[in-house]
Amino acid sequence: MTDLAHIRNFSIVAHIDHGKSTLADRLIQSTGTVKDRDMQEQLLDSMDIERERGITIKANSVRIDYKANDGEMYVLNLIDTPGHVDFAYEVSRSMRAVEGSLLVVDATQGVEAQTLANVYHALDADHEIVPVLNKIDLPAAEPDRIKQQIEDVIGLDASEAVEISAKTGLGIPDVLEAIVTRLPAPKGDRDAPLKAMLVDSWYDSYLGVVVMIRVMDGVIRKGDRIRMMKAKAIYGIDKLAVLKPKMVDIAELGPGEIGIFTASIKQVRDTKVGDTITHEKKGCETALPGFKPSIPVVFCGLFPVDANEFEDLRAAIEKLSLNDASFSTEMETSAALGFGFRCGFLGLLHLEVIRDRLEREYDIDLITTAPSVIYKIHQRDGTLMELHNPADMPDLTLIDHIEEPRIKATILVPDEYLGDVLKLCQDRRGIQIDLTYAGSRAMVVYDLPLNEVVFDFYDRLKSVTKGYASFDYQMTGYREDKLVKMQILVNDEPVDALSIMVHRDRAEMRGRAMVEKLKDLIPRHMFKIPIQAAIGGKVIARETLSALRKDVTAKCYGGDATRKRKLLDKQKAGKKKMRQFGKVEIPQEAFISALKMDS
Amino acid sequence: MPTHSPNSLRVALPENWQIAGFGLYIHWPFCAAKCPYCDFNSHVAAHIDADRWKRAYLSEIARIGSETGDRVLSTVFFGGGTPSLMNPDTVADIMDAVRNTWTTANDFEATLEANPTSVEAGRFAAYRQASINRVSVGVQALNDNDLKALGRLHTVKEAMSALDVAHANFDRVSFDLIYARQHQTLAEWRAELRAALELSPSHLSMYQLTIEQGTAFGDRFRRGKLPGLPDEDLGADLFLLTQEICDAAGLSAYEVSNHARPGHECRHNLMYWRSGDYAGIGPGAHGRLSFQDRRYSTETELAPGRWIESVEASGTGELSRQILSEEDRDLELLLMGLRTVEGVDPRRLSKRHRVDLRNESLLDLEYIKLDSDRIFVTPRGRPVLNAIIQELVRQT
């Protein structure tokens, strides 16, 4: 139990690779929160995928005890948040639990789109913001120019920005002092009824559901009977702890404090992020405003490559959704792929993360079908249908018109790549809303259809700008357009997993690109294979994959028998990664690769 | 007498390997230079202690002889490396030991691989004295630019005179060519192959250049520095052209890359493709030996230094000896046997029901044919043999 004046709660906002996780590591390390021998990089990112990709997916928190220059001990609570646009929602709610933010900007790169997006979340949450310039030790660092940029682009006073190198540890004591002296202490009333915010929850295989809370008023203790106001559920607190970042049991949490509890909750779905937690008896009257639930925007089918693994996939998806309430699933049957699941995700990164985890943690090879957004199909009989899967598209004669979701995309890009970015946005049916300059960087705002962005827009953007552009978006609403369903036929059989919704004017171009790609992706068979794109019954693009003509080992003598036999075994295993459509085998990776556009 | 298993009476066939005979492979691991395409176990050494190597080979022959001395030996094959760098005395002592250890077949064949430099051709007569009765000469190309590109140390002129010397000494002479080389056109290969046939060979091995990992060509290819290699279609056309020209010249293929006049087929290699038994001695040599109902796969130490030390220290160069499962035996029977024109007798398969002998699409395409006592790949199917085998064994 710490008095309010000695607590500081904060988060770190930054663009990817600007050093957020490294700074967090240094703060934890330099205060002795974690012993040097237990230290590892990206300490707060516990998932393998987070470490590999250098990203943060789940929010996490750490409590740091810090003796300030004024001689007093302070409790610093850091909530680490994801940086990627897919998880923007997670960022905004985590920000509501703290009073201040460190705005980390790479002194060699400057402000990026994610910096902006996340700093706006912080400003929305009324945060006090301390700018921090990282990588100041690099020769390319330009602290003065970047400070000016922060003032111009964000409108923050950067004159007292803390200059650091998270890598070498330079300036870390100044950051700790700035947290104490420049960020506000939380407010709250210890004697008022308990009011705590449910910040996040996750599933732990030993403890069950773990709930992270921020106490606003009152005191919560182990053994208390608590009520979740929105979920209308009563629980008894089994365990109360703080994260350092290992769990350390604590007797009570008072106003301004952040910690976790367990209460024999079965599923993450039973907890609502943003819910208000109070005592069962003598609870508070009014709940916190709460948050809207996050809504999946990208859908795709996940099918096991080996149909016998369907039950394994079902079990794995159930386990994953215990921990991630933001992705939705329902059973799907495909004529070509058999049983699988239609899943909804917050964005494409979210999709990739879930798919990677299923393949890696549960060892299931998956076929991922074309990602789709939700289309609103207005039917002639006046009914509205939400289309998650092109396979479910009603007959054309029943359709009056179709609406598709649109987004507002913000892109920051150095001058020299502006032309390429504008071309990319135009090609993807974008409408320019704004174009402004900050120094030598342009900020472009576009109204874009989400279906043109979900798949490979970000990859293309990175590629045409050599990685110098940054990108963020928000959903804006629905608009009518000329949309059609395009089918792909392989050896004259439709492969429903390759069907996509596409704008009529772009159908030929997409169709041609897809059949050309598939011609390269499908290995030659012993017979020739026509590959066609069609709308309704009309073929709009066609390629023919020639029959296999040569596949024979030149030399094979006594000393080669073992090696060739092992190679054959390997090839047989490789065949299992292909799915049979009629007489044709399509490799697993073809389903996603076929959709990638080169221009 | 060879050991019979009681089970062999169940099928009216002798023990599997006996159909194809028993051979001895002797690996000489040294070369004057390493060719950039070669992924064989070959090494360039500054000094070779010929006596020491001879003792090691003799010791290995004695070891293998103690297990198989009751068999009739059909063939010996000196491969490498470059066995024509061996001292003829060494070859003679090894051959003496071979004939003292085993009864040799009436049509006993003893082949030695040779490079066509003048120095090596100079040893041919002595090799004949040492009971070698067949040479396989690594000509590889009939134009000097390509010989250089392939890293060969001889010229076309030298190769021609080496072949003359070979013919003067041996009734049975074969030579090798590599095709599907960089920038090679159909017309160029046609002309070169015709020139080769002018030499009236009785046996010709023609290999499409294959880029193997871990070779100099493999590295260059990975870095994009090996331009002009044929694509699949040109590769297929080159292969078909080769068949057409050789058929017309009476030198039809009896295996994917091997052509011979009737009766001049390499008996040792046929033994491999027919899944016979063979002992392999020398660094990195593989063997297949059957005892009772079991078939073993043997391997020796790969590195020349380690092999010879192992032979000297422990009396064996063998590194491993493993039982082949029935599945693996079947795979090898097909992998090796379907390379030949004669094909495979399906009754030799242990798990015949697992092999899709009546695969409809392969039969429809006339890629395979099935007789009562053999399955074979047709000339149409031969260019896609690997895919055919994969299709046949999908269920195993």
Side-chain angles (χ1 to χ4, degrees):
Chain A
M1 170 81 214
T2 312
D3 69 292
L4 289 164
H6 290 90
I7 300 176
R8 298 292 182 273
N9 298 324
F10 68 104
S11 63
I12 305 177
V13 296
H15 189 73
I16 187 167
D17 286 342
H18 280 201
K20 179 167 70 90
S21 294
T22 317
L23 173 58
D25 287 351
R26 285 300 155 270
L27 295 177
I28 292 166
Q29 201 176 15
S30 70
T31 51
T33 308
V34 172
K35 293 202 174 62
D36 281 347
R37 67 182 155 83
D38 295 329
M39 198 61 204
Q40 51 176 334
E41 278 184 35
Q42 279 185 261
L43 196 75
L44 296 182
D45 296 333
S46 49
M47 279 190 261
D48 286 348
I49 292 175
E50 292 183 312
R51 285 167 197 267
E52 262 171 45
R53 297 191 176 213
I55 53 171
T56 303
I57 296 165
K58 290 291 287 179
N60 207 336
S61 83
V62 59
R63 176 170 167 140
I64 298 168
D65 295 317
Y66 170 61
K67 187 171 188 183
N69 290 349
D70 63 7
E72 305 275 321
M73 284 303 296
Y74 287 83
V75 168
L76 314 181
N77 288 304
L78 162 63
I79 293 193
D80 191 25
T81 59
H84 192 274
V85 51
D86 280 9
F87 305 100
Y89 186 75
E90 197 135 350
V91 179
S92 76
R93 72 195 189 198
S94 304
M95 297 247 178
R96 303 274 167 187
V98 299
E99 285 77 22
S101 283
L102 303 177
L103 167 66
V104 178
V105 180
D106 184 327
T108 67
Q109 304 274 337
V111 174
E112 299 285 355
Q114 277 175 21
T115 323
L116 276 181
N118 289 331
V119 88
Y120 291 142
H121 289 308
L123 290 169
D124 281 350
D126 290 326
H127 278 194
E128 194 62 44
I129 296 172
V130 174
V132 175
L133 298 187
N134 191 19
K135 308 194 188 178
I136 208 80
D137 56 319
L138 296 183
E142 297 178 90
D144 293 334
R145 188 178 71 79
I146 304 301
K147 280 183 200 174
Q148 190 60 46
Q149 195 194 25
I150 292 173
E151 297 193 354
D152 293 345
V153 179
I154 308 177
L156 272 180
D157 177 9
S159 59
E160 289 184 67
V162 187
E163 300 189 5
I164 67 159
S165 164
K167 200 173 132 205
T168 66
L170 175 80
I172 297 301
D174 301 335
V175 176
L176 288 162
E177 274 306 302
I179 292 167
V180 169
T181 57
R182 290 165 62 183
L183 297 184
K187 294 190 181 70
D189 182 354
R190 187 179 163 77
D191 299 321
L194 174 65
K195 183 186 270 188
M197 179 201 288
L198 197 162
V199 182
D200 200 2
S201 61
W202 60 90
Y203 190 83
D204 180 287
S205 47
Y206 296 106
L207 299 169
V209 174
V210 178
V211 177
M212 189 197 296
I213 53 163
R214 155 71 197 268
V215 180
M216 300 299 179
D217 290 319
V219 179
I220 187 170
R221 295 182 179 85
K222 187 180 169 182
D224 283 0
R225 301 284 297 171
I226 52 119
R227 177 201 309 276
M228 296 195 179
M229 292 180 75
K230 199 165 292 163
K232 296 191 177 32
I234 311 279
Y235 295 103
I237 304 287
D238 296 334
K239 179 187 182 73
L240 193 66
V242 292
L243 299 173
K244 289 185 141 184
K246 281 190 185 132
M247 284 185 196
V248 179
D249 286 349
I250 196 163
E252 59 171 53
L253 288 170
E257 291 193 285
I258 292 169
I260 59 103
F261 70 77
T262 64
S264 309
I265 303 169
K266 292 210 174 56
Q267 289 194 45
V268 171
R269 285 181 202 280
D270 298 336
T271 63
K272 293 198 164 22
V273 169
D275 204 348
T276 307
I277 291 165
T278 188
H279 282 121
E280 181 186 8
K281 290 174 185 152
K282 294 185 189 164
C284 63
E285 300 279 317
T286 50
L288 295 160
F291 310 122
K292 284 177 290 177
S294 52
I295 305 160
V297 293
V298 180
F299 289 80
C300 75
L302 296 178
F303 293 85
V305 171
D306 178 353
N308 295 323
E309 288 187 343
F310 172 73
E311 283 304 325
D312 298 339
L313 177 62
R314 182 211 292 276
I317 283 182
E318 267 169 23
K319 275 200 192 140
L320 277 190
S321 46
L322 281 181
N323 204 5
D324 186 347
S326 60
F327 95 101
S328 69
T329 63
E330 60 183 68
M331 272 266 295
E332 181 183 0
T333 319
S334 150
L337 294 170
F339 291 112
F341 289 92
R342 191 79 190 163
C343 301
F345 304 93
L346 300 176
L348 203 74
L349 178 70
H350 189 211
L351 184 162
E352 285 177 13
V353 165
I354 296 283
R355 187 193 58 201
D356 282 6
R357 293 188 64 188
L358 286 169
E359 292 207 322
R360 247 193 273 180
E361 294 171 25
Y362 298 92
D363 197 25
I364 301 172
D365 287 321
L366 292 173
I367 289 172
T368 313
T369 66
S372 170
V373 299
I374 305 174
Y375 297 92
K376 290 187 175 169
I377 314 268
H378 295 265
Q379 306 193 73
R380 288 197 198 278
D381 64 2
T383 55
L384 173 68
M385 173 193 176
E386 287 201 343
L387 183 78
H388 293 199
N389 185 350
D392 300 333
M393 176 98 151
D395 193 272
L396 285 178
T397 57
L398 301 177
I399 299 172
D400 186 75
H401 65 279
I402 304 177
E403 287 186 308
E404 65 174 340
R406 312 275 306 190
I407 59 162
K408 182 177 141 191
T410 304
I411 299 164
L412 268 83
V413 60
D415 244 359
E416 63 257 49
Y417 304 112
L418 180 62
D420 298 313
V421 170
L422 295 182
K423 180 172 181 308
L424 176 65
C425 290
Q426 291 304 134
D427 286 347
R428 301 295 174 98
R429 300 192 281 132
I431 299 163
Q432 200 183 97
I433 299 174
D434 199 9
L435 172 58
T436 50
Y437 282 90
S440 65
R441 292 171 72 81
M443 185 168 91
V444 210
V445 182
Y446 259 84
D447 171 27
L448 280 156
L450 179 62
N451 92 338
E452 299 282 352
V453 174
V454 287
F455 192 63
D456 62 345
F457 181 84
Y458 192 47
D459 287 345
R460 292 297 309 155
L461 183 70
K462 277 190 287 191
S463 134
V464 300
T465 62
K466 301 196 166 59
Y468 283 111
S470 58
F471 167 68
D472 201 82
Y473 71 84
Q474 65 198 77
M475 300 275 293
T476 50
Y478 273 79
R479 204 166 66 209
E480 182 184 344
D481 219 323
K482 290 186 291 180
L483 296 155
V484 292
K485 174 179 157 183
M486 184 170 79
Q487 278 193 312
I488 299 291
L489 294 91
V490 176
N491 208 24
D492 298 321
E493 306 215 20
V495 179
D496 56 1
L498 286 166
S499 295
I500 57 167
M501 296 293 293
V502 58
H503 192 268
R504 184 65 193 85
D505 298 345
R506 305 231 311 140
E508 268 86 353
M509 194 271 286
R510 288 296 311 270
R512 193 165 310 121
M514 277 182 74
V515 296
E516 279 170 17
K517 271 268 169 71
L518 284 167
K519 189 183 163 192
D520 291 337
L521 290 163
I522 301 175
R524 283 185 176 190
H525 284 52
M526 281 187 259
F527 44 89
K528 69 178 178 199
I529 301 168
I531 303 168
Q532 296 156 297
I535 297 172
K538 188 175 169 240
V539 173
I540 55 171
R542 182 192 164 102
E543 287 282 337
T544 303
L545 176 63
S546 314
L548 181 71
R549 292 200 55 209
K550 186 160 180 300
D551 179 17
V552 59
T553 305
K555 273 191 182 186
C556 190
Y557 296 103
D560 304 304
T562 306
R563 200 157 50 105
K564 299 299 177 199
R565 169 168 48 78
K566 286 183 178 161
L567 183 67
L568 186 62
D569 278 332
K570 220 167 108 186
Q571 286 163 339
K572 279 165 62 187
K575 286 249 175 196
K576 297 210 170 104
K577 297 223 171 199
M578 303 220 220
R579 211 43 200 263
Q580 187 110 17
F581 295 85
K583 286 163 69 186
V584 180
E585 282 167 333
I586 303 183
Q588 180 189 6
E589 72 272 12
F591 293 87
I592 284 291
S593 304
L595 299 159
K596 294 202 169 152
M597 288 173 277
D598 294 330
S599 56
Chain B
M1 277 297 290
T3 338
H4 275 279
S5 85
N7 286 342
S8 66
L9 300 170
R10 189 179 38 142
V11 284
L13 286 168
E15 205 173 323
N16 247 333
W17 68 267
Q18 292 178 347
I19 295 165
F22 173 54
L24 173 67
Y25 176 76
I26 299 172
H27 190 81
W28 176 262
F30 302 109
C31 283
K34 180 97 190 167
C35 297
Y37 55 85
C38 173
D39 71 333
F40 282 26
N41 184 25
S42 56
H43 304 263
V44 178
H47 173 73
I48 300 156
D49 182 341
D51 272 351
R52 191 178 169 212
W53 278 83
K54 182 172 75 184
R55 282 194 302 274
Y57 285 116
L58 295 179
S59 152
E60 285 290 87
I61 286 166
R63 174 177 67 82
I64 292 294
S66 70
E67 307 184 286
T68 60
D70 55 355
R71 298 186 180 195
V72 174
L73 184 71
S74 317
T75 60
V76 174
F77 196 101
F78 288 84
T82 309
S84 54
L85 295 176
M86 287 174 90
N87 189 329
D89 291 345
T90 306
V91 176
D93 288 352
I94 290 173
M95 288 303 294
D96 284 347
V98 165
R99 283 178 305 164
N100 289 332
T101 306
W102 291 281
T103 308
T104 53
N106 290 340
D107 59 354
F108 179 67
E109 172 190 277
T111 306
L112 184 135
E113 285 184 333
N115 274 345
T117 65
S118 50
V119 180
E120 286 157 277
R123 300 193 188 105
F124 285 0
Y127 289 144
R128 191 192 56 185
Q129 291 299 317
S131 306
I132 296 295
N133 58 21
R134 182 175 181 274
V135 284
S136 169
V137 186
V139 173
Q140 315 305 10
L142 292 180
N143 88 63
D144 285 339
N145 279 338
D146 284 2
L147 282 175
K148 206 171 280 174
L150 292 171
R152 305 297 297 183
L153 300 178
H154 60 270
T155 60
V156 175
K157 202 173 156 213
E158 270 183 296
M160 295 295 168
S161 49
L163 282 176
D164 286 343
V165 180
H167 281 118
N169 284 287
F170 303 99
D171 290 337
R172 303 176 75 223
V173 174
S174 173
F175 65 92
D176 290 1
L177 292 173
I178 293 175
Y179 68 110
R181 308 191 282 255
Q182 285 175 273
H183 307 292
Q184 191 176 33
T185 64
L186 276 170
E188 283 166 354
W189 173 233
R190 181 184 289 117
E192 194 168 328
L193 181 51
R194 290 216 166 112
L197 292 168
E198 290 291 306
L199 304 169
S200 6
S202 58
H203 189 285
L204 200 49
S205 303
M206 284 169 293
Y207 304 107
Q208 289 218 353
L209 178 61
T210 308
I211 306 305
E212 303 283 0
Q213 272 181 25
T215 63
F217 272 5
D219 287 349
R220 266 187 253 169
F221 183 74
R222 217 181 44 240
R223 286 183 284 117
K225 297 272 164 74
L226 203 65
L229 291 172
D231 59 11
E232 183 185 324
D233 288 312
L234 179 54
D237 290 339
L238 286 164
F239 184 84
L240 294 177
L241 178 69
T242 306
Q243 310 312 309
E244 184 191 312
I245 294 177
C246 289
D247 284 350
L251 214 67
S252 289
Y254 67 100
E255 189 260 0
V256 171
S257 302
N258 284 278
H259 298 250
R261 291 193 196 292
H264 286 263
E265 298 86 0
C266 174
R267 291 167 203 151
H268 185 82
N269 289 338
L270 273 176
M271 177 275 300
Y272 288 142
W273 296 316
R274 290 170 173 165
S275 288
D277 260 19
Y278 50 100
I281 64 173
H286 289 228
R288 291 289 182 276
L289 291 171
S290 307
F291 298 109
Q292 274 87 38
D293 243 358
R294 292 191 164 154
R295 185 161 164 91
Y296 297 84
S297 149
T298 68
E299 271 180 51
T300 58
E301 286 277 4
L302 189 65
R306 303 244 314 247
W307 175 79
I308 202 162
E309 279 160 22
S310 168
V311 173
E312 288 168 350
S314 54
T316 176
E318 199 169 287
L319 187 64
S320 76
R321 177 173 291 211
Q322 289 172 328
I323 299 173
L324 281 173
S325 67
E326 292 189 323
E327 285 84 356
D328 287 347
R329 285 158 71 163
D330 284 355
L331 281 183
E332 290 192 355
L333 194 68
L334 293 169
L335 261 177
M336 304 304 283
L338 292 178
R339 297 184 66 81
T340 62
V341 171
E342 63 190 25
V344 172
D345 184 340
R347 290 172 298 181
R348 293 181 70 192
L349 293 163
S350 319
K351 303 206 164 176
R352 205 185 315 168
H353 60 283
R354 306 285 297 267
V355 179
D356 190 9
L357 297 170
R358 293 191 166 74
N359 184 291
E360 263 179 55
S361 55
L362 294 177
L363 288 165
D364 285 351
L365 288 161
E366 291 183 19
Y367 279 1
I368 58 169
K369 282 216 166 121
L370 192 60
D371 288 349
S372 57
D373 60 352
R374 63 175 189 142
I375 174 172
F376 65 98
V377 173
T378 64
R380 262 172 84 94
R382 204 166 301 134
V384 293
L385 176 65
N386 292 356
I388 291 172
I389 294 174
Q390 281 181 46
E391 192 67 26
L392 290 173
V393 302
R394 189 189 279 273
Q395 306 305 326
T396 58

